[in-house]
Amino acid sequence: MKSRIGVIGGTGVYDPEILEDLKEVDVKTPYGNALLYTGRFQDTEVCFLPRHGRTHGVPPHKINYRANIWALKKEGVSRIISTAAVGSLNEAMPPGAAVLLDQFIDFTRQRPLTFFEDGREGVVHTDFTEPYCPDIRASLQENTAAAGLKVINYGTYVCTEGPRFETPAEIKMFKAWGGDVVGMTNVPEVVLAREAGLCYATVTLVTNYAAGISSTLLSHEEVLEMMAENIEKIRDLIMNTIGAISQETRCSCGQIPGKMEVE
Ligand code: HPA
């Protein structure tokens, strides 16, 4: 089978209707079932997975990240573009800007973080020098102008456990430690994708300045409103990129030693 492109939709990105021949699929995995949609965009087979469920019913710390990545791999996906809403710690990344992540810092606390849990496959330490696929990042960068988004080509994502927002003291620390944006979902998604040998990149949309930098209290409504305002541009960026991604890869995401295989 020609490999498929996976799209993981974050907050505000739930709608697979843009795809032709749309089918809802409930994929059984060793970690529980995962809901996704298969379909076609132009000549490309696509799997769309709404990370928080179709109606935003699943909070960040309860997302079944392992089932989601396993299911995408099972459905023949080799490359994933994901979206995420983020708060900004960096004045050069204002609300409304899109940030293409290139690094992350993990501050999660209670999530299963690996497919290599029990040493059955031997002890596996996966390289994360370049956490996000350089090929997909390059394709995204090539397609930003057409989408009309202000795009920043780098950014360090700090992943918190949530579901609460951060304190200003935490944000001050994250900023001092090199964070640019903060969110609650990119880890372990990015980790599991690499362990599975899949290419993975994330387009984030800055929905607010982070706690203590923003002059107002934070709310989920504010995040949703900003996503809604920019959803068409994000969708254009992703769809243009899907059309442009070639089947050939130059990256080494798929060549990691001992990667997770689906049965
Ligand atoms: N913090 C954490 N997650 C977020 C934020 C934030 O400020 N904005 C959007 N997602």
Side-chain angles (χ1 to χ4, degrees):
M1 180 171 43
K2 199 170 151 188
S3 78
R4 287 169 153 164
I5 305 282
V7 177
I8 301 181
T11 297
V13 185
Y14 313 118
D15 189 4
E17 298 298 329
I18 199 159
L19 303 178
E20 285 168 48
D21 294 335
L22 190 63
K23 285 193 197 78
E24 186 175 315
V25 192
D26 194 26
V27 184
K28 200 165 165 251
T29 86
Y31 306 98
N33 286 19
L35 171 81
L36 52 79
Y37 299 85
T38 61
R40 200 163 18 81
F41 177 71
Q42 295 166 353
D43 291 335
T44 309
E45 297 289 326
V46 177
C47 279
F48 176 76
L49 191 151
R51 184 187 290 124
H52 296 277
R54 191 68 205 272
T55 55
H56 204 109
V58 189
H61 61 297
K62 294 284 183 199
I63 291 168
N64 195 340
Y65 296 96
R66 290 193 293 193
N68 290 350
I69 296 295
W70 200 98
L72 287 170
K73 181 158 175 156
K74 172 85 178 168
E75 287 297 309
V77 165
S78 60
R79 301 180 175 187
I80 300 171
I81 304 174
S82 72
T83 73
V86 290
S88 175
L89 284 57
N90 182 339
E91 266 100 55
M93 301 178 180
V99 175
L100 299 185
L101 304 181
D102 66 350
Q103 287 290 321
F104 70 81
I105 300 174
D106 179 12
F107 270 95
T108 65
R109 293 183 182 172
Q110 54 164 25
R111 307 174 183 189
L113 289 170
T114 181
F115 285 117
F116 306 125
E117 191 97 288
D118 51 19
R120 246 184 310 166
E121 304 81 0
V123 176
V124 181
H125 299 293
T126 308
D127 177 77
F128 272 87
T129 306
E130 193 165 36
Y132 301 90
C133 173
D135 276 11
I136 304 185
R137 294 185 74 255
S139 296
L140 284 164
Q141 283 166 32
E142 278 161 25
N143 286 284
T144 53
L149 268 170
K150 175 180 164 63
V151 176
I152 295 153
N153 288 336
Y154 68 93
T156 296
Y157 178 104
V158 178
C159 195
T160 64
E161 185 64 30
R164 68 169 174 84
F165 287 116
E166 303 71 36
T167 64
E170 287 169 329
I171 292 298
K172 228 184 199 173
M173 179 185 78
F174 295 153
K175 191 172 171 169
W177 286 5
D180 293 306
V181 293
V182 61
M184 305 175 192
T185 55
N186 206 243
V187 180
E189 204 170 83
V190 57
V191 175
L192 297 167
R194 178 61 55 79
E195 286 187 349
L198 307 180
C199 296
Y200 178 94
T202 306
V203 183
T204 65
L205 181 80
V206 177
T207 55
N208 55 282
Y209 278 119
I213 301 175
S214 170
S215 55
T216 56
L217 299 184
L218 306 187
S219 73
H220 186 52
E221 284 65 40
E222 166 188 24
V223 170
L224 290 177
E225 272 167 31
M226 196 59 162
M227 280 309 299
E229 264 176 48
N230 288 280
I231 181 71
E232 276 172 31
K233 292 180 188 164
I234 300 265
R235 196 161 41 207
D236 282 355
L237 172 57
I238 290 178
M239 290 336 237
N240 291 342
T241 304
I242 282 177
I245 283 183
S246 73
Q247 287 289 314
E248 275 171 39
T249 50
R250 281 153 294 155
C251 62
S252 54
C253 307
Q255 278 131 46
I256 57 146
K259 68 184 171 200
M260 180 281 274
E261 298 292 356
V262 299
E263 298 92 57

